[in-house]
Amino acid sequence: AERHPAVLADLRAAIAAGRVEPCGGREDLRPLDLCSPEEIRDSLATGRGAWVDHVGRPASAYAAIGGGSSAILPQLLAGFGYGAAIWSQFDGSPMPDAGGGRIRWEGTGGGAIESLARPPLDASRATTVLELADRIGDALDHDHAAVVAFAHYAGAASPWHALLRRIGRWCGLVGTFVTP
């Protein structure tokens, strides 16, 4: 927000137009297993407040680049009003195998939240597109609701990913593309 105010203005406009949905989380990336429940709660409150301060509304889905997982997290996320979570780490940290692409992530205290749990595919790699048939087949074989997720930083997707999205707009051959 401070270094790139023009990008923040574009982000606000995209959120207002419904093209982008904010996904966010904690203030820091400290490993959750080193934090007390109160520290996790305070970090979530600060991170949520940052979204409100900068774009005028909180993130509707929880997402984190790193930091691992905690059994208390679903309860805290539900308490903060998050509607969903992306249960994956983009820094390569291992997460427990959820056994499905879309899960109801349950933790301590009876808290639960709908989550995407399969690690996302790297949209910047050509091999992701070449292996897509296998990934879709695996999701259809093992999941109740088949989900294959892609992740990339802005402007870093391969041209093949753009062609997949174009195919998705014209037919259902590769499923439906949605932005979480």
Side-chain angles (χ1 to χ4, degrees), residues 31-171:
L32 288 172
D33 54 359
L34 299 178
C35 298
S36 69
E38 293 79 13
E39 289 172 323
I40 298 171
R41 182 200 62 220
D42 293 345
S43 181
L44 282 168
T46 304
R48 193 161 174 84
W51 276 105
V52 172
D53 292 345
H54 294 299
V55 298
R57 62 177 279 204
S60 58
Y62 172 79
I65 293 173
S69 181
S70 171
I72 197 170
L73 201 51
Q75 177 183 357
L76 291 172
L77 295 175
F80 274 107
Y82 284 94
I86 299 174
W87 196 53
S88 184
Q89 301 297 299
F90 298 99
D91 66 353
S93 299
M95 294 286 283
D97 182 9
R102 184 173 175 214
I103 64 167
R104 183 163 173 80
W105 182 16
E106 296 182 4
T108 61
I113 190 165
E114 295 294 323
S115 303
L116 291 178
R118 182 159 290 141
L121 305 175
D122 185 351
S124 67
R125 300 182 64 216
T127 57
T128 298
V129 176
L130 294 173
E131 297 170 352
L132 187 59
D134 291 336
R135 301 293 181 141
I136 291 173
D138 184 54
L140 289 170
D141 286 344
H142 295 99
D143 297 346
H144 172 69
V147 174
V148 177
F150 294 94
H152 64 86
Y153 289 100
S158 75
W160 307 112
H161 180 75
L163 288 173
L164 277 177
R165 290 183 62 90
R166 184 174 177 206
I167 291 168
R169 282 193 303 268
W170 286 92
C171 69

Side-chain angles (χ1 to χ4, degrees), residues 2 12 131:
E2 293 171 4
R12 285 180 183 153
E131 297 170 352

